[in-house]
Amino acid sequence: MAPMNPKRRRLLYLDGYTVPDPRTGAPSSDAIGYGITASTAIRDGLVTLGFELSQPRVAISTTGHEDRTRRLFWILSNYRDVLNALVEDSPDVIFSFHIFSSFPVEIRRMALDLGLSVPIVGYTHGSHWDPTDAFRFQVYPGMELLDLANLHVLDRILLASEYMRATLWDNISAFNVSLARQLDAKAVVVGLPLDVKRIDACRTDLRLPLTTVVFNHAPVSSKNPDLFTRVLARVLPRYDVAVLFTRYFAPGQPGGETISALAHRFPEQVMLGGDMPLDEYYQALWAADLQVSTASHESLGVSTLEAMYTDNCCILPRLGSYPEICNGNPDVLYELGEAQLEEKLCYFLQHPDRRRAVAAKLKCMTARYHPETVVADIAAAILGVVPGSPTYVHN
């Protein structure tokens, strides 16, 4: 990526809440995964393109608080530091990596109270207006209209997939078609960048003793870990295969009891990663062979794209964004359910040459999610709402 223009645009970059050490406790994937990796790739790419980035200086004492409380203190501190930035040296544009972390409605109110007209560009990672996003309804019930308000005050809405754009249109237009048209006109699909630099740095030629299947999804109901576990309980006795769960599934969480029982029954074949640190996680992906998803909700599938990039053959339900990221490849897509998943998984275990050939095709499909491609599209979206900016076209 070449610098876009000698006149630097000052951008206030708002990260989401992240936890560098996942073993301190972090239930959400954005906190320990793509919120770190994709956001880092975006920040680095925007600097390369000539943006002048600043970030809130969030420094809070969190001693003695559990993770959810620490996160709330962080959010409150972030709002204060955004206000300080607006007062001290108003930026040309505000970029929010995760609009459900620090609400754009509050940031817009600050700017209006200060008499400032600062464009706000931000990602929505999932939405109350996606009926399959069970986590939002379970943890943040009754916040559908706030979700709409956050989208409405943005000058440009960044989306990770065409699936997400269609889903928002279908459900918001059923509520208010005029509002849906306004939001869709501001929306642009840019994807999310894989942190290929970090992933490549973790590459290893070491292989695990057994053919290994990775389940790298969060312990939430919309990822259906119990469905996956039921299928593996039938597959593990029949094949020399291992399974790695990269996340921690606590008792009482979806998958917690069934995964614990599976590990007890097959101690030589079940590996429990327990919220693996990122570098260990990437090393494990390079060493694995297959990745399986049983999700009923997926707005992009960063964990699947990471598995694709690291030479894994992925087996994916035919829903959400999955057909989009694998170009509708019929070899890897299945109708969500135990029977077709078991059939696909057993086929690839029995045909390793075919498995490797499919994995090679999938890896090629990740090129559109490399940082230079995604960040160029983000830059174009940002410049499109900043007065006096040149037009930037990604070649």
Side-chain angles (χ1 to χ4, degrees), residues 156-157 159 162 164-170 172 177-189:
R156 188 70 79 237
I157 302 167
L159 302 174
E162 292 291 348
M164 196 65 200
R165 182 172 205 156
T167 298
L168 291 176
W169 168 260
D170 289 344
I172 296 174
V177 69
S178 176
L179 177 59
R181 289 196 187 102
Q182 293 178 47
L183 299 181
D184 191 64
K186 297 190 293 184
V188 57
V189 177

Coordinates of all heavy atoms in Angstrom, one line a residue, residues 156-157 159 162 164-170 172 177-189:
R156 N -20.6 6.7 8.0 CA -20.3 5.5 7.2 C -20.3 4.3 8.1 O -19.7 4.3 9.1 CB -19.0 5.6 6.4 CG -18.8 4.6 5.4 CD -19.7 4.7 4.2 NE -19.2 5.7 3.3 CZ -19.9 6.8 2.9 NH1 -21.1 7.0 3.3 NH2 -19.4 7.7 2.0
I157 N -21.1 3.3 7.6 CA -21.3 2.0 8.4 C -20.4 1.0 7.7 O -20.6 0.7 6.5 CB -22.7 1.5 8.4 CG1 -23.6 2.6 9.0 CG2 -22.8 0.2 9.2 CD1 -25.1 2.4 8.8
L159 N -19.2 -2.9 7.2 CA -19.8 -4.2 7.4 C -18.7 -5.2 7.0 O -17.9 -5.0 6.1 CB -21.0 -4.4 6.6 CG -22.2 -3.4 6.9 CD1 -23.3 -3.7 5.9 CD2 -22.7 -3.6 8.4
E162 N -21.3 -9.3 2.9 CA -22.5 -9.0 2.2 C -23.7 -9.7 2.9 O -24.9 -9.1 2.9 CB -22.4 -9.6 0.8 CG -21.4 -8.9 -0.1 CD -21.8 -7.4 -0.5 OE1 -23.0 -7.1 -0.2 OE2 -21.0 -6.7 -1.0
M164 N -24.2 -9.7 6.1 CA -24.6 -8.8 7.1 C -25.4 -7.6 6.5 O -26.4 -7.2 7.1 CB -23.4 -8.2 7.8 CG -23.7 -7.6 9.2 SD -24.4 -8.8 10.3 CE -25.2 -7.6 11.5
R165 N -25.0 -7.2 5.3 CA -25.7 -6.1 4.7 C -27.2 -6.5 4.4 O -28.1 -5.8 4.6 CB -25.0 -5.6 3.4 CG -25.7 -4.5 2.7 CD -24.9 -3.9 1.6 NE -25.2 -2.5 1.3 CZ -24.4 -1.7 0.7 NH1 -23.2 -2.0 0.3 NH2 -24.8 -0.4 0.5
A166 N -27.3 -7.7 3.8 CA -28.6 -8.2 3.4 C -29.5 -8.4 4.6 O -30.7 -8.2 4.6 CB -28.5 -9.5 2.6
T167 N -28.9 -9.0 5.7 CA -29.6 -9.2 6.9 C -30.1 -7.9 7.6 O -31.3 -7.9 8.0 CB -28.7 -10.0 7.9 OG1 -28.3 -11.2 7.4 CG2 -29.4 -10.2 9.3
L168 N -29.3 -6.9 7.6 CA -29.7 -5.6 8.2 C -30.9 -5.1 7.3 O -31.9 -4.6 7.9 CB -28.6 -4.7 8.2 CG -27.5 -5.0 9.3 CD1 -26.4 -3.9 9.2 CD2 -28.1 -5.0 10.7
W169 N -30.7 -5.1 6.0 CA -31.8 -4.6 5.1 C -33.1 -5.3 5.4 O -34.1 -4.7 5.5 CB -31.4 -4.7 3.7 CG -32.5 -4.4 2.8 CD1 -33.3 -5.3 2.1 CD2 -33.1 -3.1 2.5 NE1 -34.3 -4.7 1.4 CE2 -34.2 -3.3 1.6 CE3 -32.8 -1.8 2.9 CZ2 -35.0 -2.3 1.2 CZ3 -33.6 -0.8 2.4 CH2 -34.6 -1.0 1.5
D170 N -33.1 -6.7 5.4 CA -34.3 -7.4 5.5 C -35.0 -7.1 6.8 O -36.2 -7.0 6.8 CB -34.0 -9.0 5.4 CG -33.5 -9.4 4.1 OD1 -33.8 -8.7 3.1 OD2 -33.0 -10.5 4.0
I172 N -34.4 -4.5 9.2 CA -34.7 -3.1 9.5 C -35.8 -2.6 8.5 O -36.7 -1.8 8.9 CB -33.4 -2.3 9.4 CG1 -32.5 -2.7 10.4 CG2 -33.8 -0.8 9.6 CD1 -31.1 -2.0 10.4
V177 N -39.0 1.0 6.5 CA -38.3 0.9 5.2 C -37.5 2.2 4.9 O -36.4 2.2 4.3 CB -39.3 0.6 4.0 CG1 -40.2 1.8 3.8 CG2 -38.5 0.2 2.8
S178 N -38.0 3.4 5.3 CA -37.3 4.6 5.0 C -36.0 4.6 5.8 O -34.9 5.0 5.2 CB -38.2 5.8 5.4 OG -37.4 7.0 5.3
L179 N -36.0 4.2 7.0 CA -34.8 4.2 7.8 C -33.8 3.1 7.2 O -32.6 3.4 7.2 CB -35.1 3.8 9.3 CG -33.9 3.6 10.2 CD1 -33.1 4.9 10.3 CD2 -34.4 3.2 11.6
A180 N -34.3 2.0 6.8 CA -33.5 1.0 6.2 C -32.7 1.5 5.0 O -31.6 1.3 4.8 CB -34.3 -0.2 5.8
R181 N -33.4 2.3 4.2 CA -32.8 2.9 3.0 C -31.7 3.9 3.4 O -30.6 3.9 2.8 CB -33.8 3.6 2.1 CG -34.8 2.8 1.4 CD -35.5 3.5 0.3 NE -36.6 2.7 -0.3 CZ -37.9 2.8 0.0 NH1 -38.3 3.8 0.9 NH2 -38.8 2.1 -0.6
Q182 N -31.9 4.7 4.4 CA -30.9 5.6 4.9 C -29.7 4.9 5.3 O -28.5 5.3 5.0 CB -31.4 6.5 6.0 CG -32.5 7.4 5.6 CD -33.1 8.2 6.8 OE1 -32.3 8.7 7.7 NE2 -34.4 8.2 7.0
L183 N -29.8 3.8 6.1 CA -28.7 3.1 6.6 C -28.0 2.3 5.5 O -26.7 2.3 5.5 CB -29.2 2.1 7.7 CG -29.8 2.7 9.0 CD1 -30.2 1.7 10.0 CD2 -28.9 3.8 9.6
D184 N -28.7 1.7 4.6 CA -28.1 1.0 3.6 C -27.2 1.9 2.6 O -26.2 1.5 2.1 CB -29.1 0.2 2.7 CG -28.5 -0.8 1.8 OD1 -27.9 -1.7 2.2 OD2 -28.7 -0.5 0.5
A185 N -27.7 3.1 2.5 CA -27.0 4.1 1.6 C -25.6 4.4 2.3 O -24.7 4.8 1.6 CB -27.8 5.3 1.4
K186 N -25.5 4.3 3.6 CA -24.3 4.7 4.3 C -23.4 3.4 4.5 O -22.3 3.6 5.0 CB -24.6 5.3 5.6 CG -25.3 6.6 5.6 CD -25.4 7.3 6.9 CE -26.2 6.5 7.9 NZ -26.3 7.3 9.2
A187 N -23.9 2.3 4.2 CA -23.2 1.0 4.5 C -22.2 0.6 3.4 O -22.5 0.8 2.2 CB -24.2 -0.1 4.7
V188 N -21.1 0.1 3.7 CA -20.1 -0.4 2.8 C -19.5 -1.7 3.3 O -19.1 -1.8 4.5 CB -19.0 0.6 2.4 CG1 -18.3 1.1 3.7 CG2 -18.0 0.1 1.4
V189 N -19.4 -2.7 2.5 CA -18.8 -4.0 2.9 C -17.3 -4.0 2.7 O -16.9 -3.8 1.5 CB -19.5 -5.2 2.2 CG1 -18.8 -6.5 2.5 CG2 -21.0 -5.2 2.5

